[in-house]
Amino acid sequence: MARQTWHMFTLITIIFTILSLAGDVFSSTAAPWYENLPAVTMDYKVHIDAGKEDCYYQFVQPGATFYASYQVLKGGDGMCGFAVRHPNGQIVHPYEWRQSAEYADQTSSGGYYAVCLDNQFSRFAGKLVNLYLSVIRYDMWEKYAKEVEELDMNIKNFTNSIQFVERNINDILQFQYHSRAKESRDYNLLVDNNTYVLRWSLLQIIAVAATGTLQVYFLRKLFEVKDNSSKTRI
């Protein structure tokens, strides 16, 4: 029983080890879904304690435009330090104790930028800071614009096809309408002719029967013999 429990514990340990290693590999290789978008903007409101420094990291694709800015909203003298570190480790924007500042890199070489907010000069007051970061890939926008143009062309082609089909359908509907109208006209004409023939046929039958009856009557009158025998008087 103890041996079986030990084997079970060993198996569970191996499974958790494999899962942890896989998670580390996945977390180290997988990038956030938004990093491949043509434009990413992030707006933070962060609180920096007195005598502290907070750094935030933003990944930038090669050739993209990186922009960072901050503004102290409230706290103490309303100022704090702001610095930007390039992915190669160089400080591209040195520390400045100001209320607001900004930094822009129009053609980035790519990598993780570090944006640091420093409140070390303030010993007692914390600061509420609005931090804005944006990454724009204009090449992706051009690509999307071309795709939209191609999509627009495809939509135009599809629209033209739909219009062509619609015109044909309208022609077919018009032809069917005229065919139904002709059929209805011919049917009504047939019904009227049938009624006309039946009516005149009945009238002619009545006329022939009446004529025959009159002829028989007059023939019988013609050959009728009257009894003219005189009475003898005594």
Side-chain angles (χ1 to χ4, degrees):
M1 184 66 180
R3 181 177 296 178
Q4 185 177 2
T5 304
W6 171 255
H7 286 308
M8 183 65 67
F9 176 76
T10 304
L11 180 61
I12 293 174
T13 303
I14 294 173
I15 292 174
F16 275 104
T17 303
I18 294 173
L19 290 177
S20 61
L21 291 175
D24 292 338
V25 172
F26 182 77
S27 61
S28 61
T29 57
W33 61 271
Y34 56 81
E35 290 185 356
N36 293 322
L37 295 177
V40 176
T41 59
M42 298 183 181
D43 192 0
Y44 303 101
K45 286 183 175 60
V46 297
H47 179 79
I48 306 175
D49 294 330
K52 300 293 182 179
E53 180 188 26
D54 291 337
C55 292
Y56 303 88
Y57 298 88
Q58 176 62 46
F59 180 78
V60 180
Q61 294 283 353
T65 298
F66 174 68
Y67 176 80
S69 67
Y70 85 100
Q71 183 178 10
V72 179
L73 300 179
K74 65 178 181 179
D77 56 357
M79 294 188 294
C80 73
F82 174 75
V84 179
R85 184 182 296 109
H86 196 270
N88 59 14
Q90 181 183 359
I91 301 296
V92 292
H93 188 282
Y95 279 96
E96 294 181 359
W97 189 259
R98 298 176 57 183
Q99 183 182 3
S100 62
E102 60 183 5
Y103 169 79
D105 188 355
Q106 299 295 333
T107 55
S108 174
S109 59
Y112 280 93
Y113 282 76
V115 179
C116 297
L117 300 176
D118 186 9
N119 195 28
Q120 294 181 6
F121 290 99
S122 180
R123 298 298 180 183
F124 302 101
K127 306 291 176 60
L128 181 63
V129 181
N130 185 19
L131 178 63
Y132 178 81
L133 304 175
S134 69
V135 179
I136 302 176
R137 301 178 61 184
Y138 291 103
D139 56 341
M140 292 293 294
W141 281 116
E142 294 177 358
K143 179 181 177 182
Y144 280 9
K146 292 180 180 179
E147 291 180 355
V148 169
E149 291 178 358
E150 294 177 356
L151 182 62
D152 184 46
M153 293 297 296
N154 292 332
I155 291 175
K156 288 182 179 179
N157 294 333
F158 180 74
T159 304
N160 292 332
S161 301
I162 292 297
Q163 290 177 352
F164 177 74
V165 173
E166 184 179 4
R167 284 195 297 269
N168 291 335
I169 291 175
N170 290 331
D171 293 339
I172 293 173
L173 291 176
Q174 292 176 1
F175 177 77
Q176 290 179 347
Y177 169 77
H178 289 298
S179 297
R180 287 194 298 268
K182 290 181 179 180
E183 181 183 1
S184 178
R185 178 177 177 276
D186 294 338
Y187 177 77
N188 292 328
L189 181 61
L190 289 174
V191 171
D192 292 339
N193 290 336
N194 185 35
T195 303
Y196 176 80
V197 170
L198 289 175
R199 184 179 300 168
W200 279 104
S201 297
L202 289 175
L203 290 176
Q204 289 177 1
I205 290 172
I206 293 172
V208 170
T211 303
T213 303
L214 288 175
Q215 288 178 354
V216 171
Y217 174 77
F218 283 111
L219 283 174
R220 290 185 67 181
K221 283 291 186 180
L222 182 62
F223 293 100
E224 182 178 358
V225 178
K226 294 182 178 180
D227 188 6
N228 294 325
S229 59
S230 58
K231 296 182 179 179
T232 304
R233 293 180 179 181
I234 298 176

